């Protein structure tokens, strides 16, 4: 499979070393998950029908990369399969493929606890609201800086635990003011190499539609963007530092590139942004479907 080959390639290419591009602060305030803010949460990993990636070598992390073709959006499923509850989370779910994602969660025997967004998307409607109508116990997650609605509003430095694994929240504004990157934890009991879910801030050989920040993670950190339009599925920090045609330029050249892209008006923006600001919930009168995850 393409994704498996890419991951093997990235694992063999990369070496740990600091870089100058991903600026990710790590404060350690802890807040209860029952409040509107929090620092501790739990998650797991899994693979999609469109792109299949293996479970992580650590044996704890189950990972799946899923694809929505209309907006070329990647959704990521992670789970701690070593934990008795097999807690799981979804990153950047899409409304059109929410049923597929929930079916996969059920097939794999996972307990979905979080549906998370990296930012307020303009090219599709998030699946978090739809997922919550079908699995009411799931909590929606987005950054406080996004000025959007969600069950949990996160900030840079927060830790999102799923089982014994966790994601660190890194502030990476630029594409939007509220963009965050979710990075797998650093420690002897956490999966290595680390994985960064960058949303639209950093794409493979590209970036989102405005300037941004992303590169102080180890070079072997695996990059999983929210979108790809050329068939790529994964990269590394080291690869993007060498080969990203926008980010290997000086600041003035980068600004000129971004300001002269002549991109069309996003066809979904007038529907997607208003819906995503309220967690994708559009028809609150719709009757919830019975939860498929306990």
């Amino acid at each position: 499979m393409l994704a498996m080959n890419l991951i093997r390639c990235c694992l063999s290419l990369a070496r740990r070393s600091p870089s100058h591009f991903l600026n990710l602060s790590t404060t350690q305030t802890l807040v209860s998950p029952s409040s509107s803010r929090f620092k501790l949460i739990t998650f797991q990993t899994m693979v999609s029908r469109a792109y299949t990636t293996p479970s992580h070598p650590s044996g704890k992390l189950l990972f799946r990369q899923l694809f929505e073709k209309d907006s070329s959006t990647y959704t990521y499923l992670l789970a701690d399969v070593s934990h008795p509850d097999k807690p799981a989370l979804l990153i950047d779910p899409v409304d059109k493929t929410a049923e597929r994602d929930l079916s996969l969660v059920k097939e794999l025997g996972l307990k979905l606890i979080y549906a998370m967004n990296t930012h307020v998307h303009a090219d599709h409607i998030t699946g978090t609201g739809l997922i919550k109508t079908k699995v009411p116990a799931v909590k929606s997650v987005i950054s406080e800086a996004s000025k959007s609605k969600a069950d949990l509003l996160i900030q840079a430095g927060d830790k999102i635990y799923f089982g014994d694994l966790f994601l660190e929240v890194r502030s990476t504004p630029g594409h939007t003011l509220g963009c965050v990157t979710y990075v797998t934890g650093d420690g002897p009991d956490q999966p290595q190499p680390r994985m960064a879910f960058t949303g639209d801030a950093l794409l493979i050989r590209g970036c989102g539609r405005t300037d941004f920040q992303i590169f102080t993670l180890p070079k072997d950190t695996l990059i999983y963007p929210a979108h790809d339009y050329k068939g790529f599925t994964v990269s590394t920090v080291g690869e993007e530092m060498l080969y990203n045609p926008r980010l290997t330029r000086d600041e003035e050249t980068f600004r000129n590139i971004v300001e002269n892209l002549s991109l069309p008006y996003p066809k979904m923006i007038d529907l997607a942004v208003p819906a995503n600001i309220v967690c994708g919930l559009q028809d609150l009168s719709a009757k919830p479907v019975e939860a498929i995850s306990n």
Side-chain angles (χ1 to χ4, degrees), residues 191-203:
Q192 299 295 332
R194 302 179 77 181
M195 306 163 74
F197 301 92
T198 57
D200 289 11
L202 175 63
L203 307 179

Side-chain angles (χ1 to χ4, degrees), residues 161-218:
Y161 277 85
F162 55 107
D164 297 321
L165 304 177
F166 67 89
L167 293 176
E168 294 179 2
V169 179
R170 311 295 184 94
S171 177
T172 51
H175 176 66
T176 72
L177 291 177
C179 283
V180 295
T181 291
Y182 298 114
V183 184
T184 53
D186 191 16
D189 59 341
Q190 300 298 310
Q192 299 295 332
R194 302 179 77 181
M195 306 163 74
F197 301 92
T198 57
D200 289 11
L202 175 63
L203 307 179
I204 298 172
R205 309 300 190 262
C207 65
R209 294 185 62 161
T210 93
D211 62 324
F212 78 114
Q213 309 163 344
I214 295 191
F215 279 170
T216 57
L217 285 173

Side-chain angles (χ1 to χ4, degrees), residues 41-235:
I41 309 179
T42 20
F43 79 83
Q44 295 182 322
T45 334
M46 308 185 155
V47 189
S48 148
R49 317 250 171 125
Y51 296 97
T52 304
T53 44
S55 296
H56 199 278
S58 69
K60 292 184 176 181
L61 181 64
L62 178 61
F63 173 76
R64 299 294 184 270
Q65 182 181 45
L66 302 105
F67 187 69
E68 193 282 306
K69 62 182 180 63
D70 290 340
S71 61
S72 296
T73 297
Y74 286 124
T75 296
Y76 299 99
L77 175 63
L78 298 91
D80 181 356
V81 292
S82 68
H83 191 277
D85 294 336
K86 295 186 177 180
L89 62 81
L90 286 166
I91 298 174
D92 287 336
V94 180
D95 62 343
K96 292 181 180 179
T97 47
E99 291 283 0
R100 174 204 63 188
D101 300 347
L102 291 175
S103 293
L104 182 58
V105 168
K106 182 178 181 180
E107 289 171 2
L108 295 172
L110 306 175
K111 180 180 180 180
L112 186 64
I113 56 175
Y114 295 111
M116 307 165 60
N117 283 291
T118 53
H119 65 292
V120 175
H121 300 275
D123 56 357
H124 67 270
I125 296 174
T126 179
T128 53
L130 183 58
I131 288 170
K132 283 172 59 62
T133 67
K134 300 187 175 186
V135 190
V138 170
K139 302 248 181 229
S140 58
V141 180
I142 200 167
S143 73
E144 190 171 33
S146 70
K147 307 299 182 185
S148 303
K149 293 183 179 179
D151 297 315
L152 298 171
L153 300 176
I154 54 171
Q155 295 181 355
D158 287 352
K159 290 184 176 181
I160 302 173
Y161 277 85
F162 55 107
D164 297 321
L165 304 177
F166 67 89
L167 293 176
E168 294 179 2
V169 179
R170 311 295 184 94
S171 177
T172 51
H175 176 66
T176 72
L177 291 177
C179 283
V180 295
T181 291
Y182 298 114
V183 184
T184 53
D186 191 16
D189 59 341
Q190 300 298 310
Q192 299 295 332
R194 302 179 77 181
M195 306 163 74
F197 301 92
T198 57
D200 289 11
L202 175 63
L203 307 179
I204 298 172
R205 309 300 190 262
C207 65
R209 294 185 62 161
T210 93
D211 62 324
F212 78 114
Q213 309 163 344
I214 295 191
F215 279 170
T216 57
L217 285 173
K219 289 182 180 179
D220 64 351
T221 301
L222 301 175
I223 296 295
Y224 289 98
H227 301 279
D228 189 84
Y229 309 98
K230 299 179 181 178
F232 295 113
T233 59
V234 63
S235 183

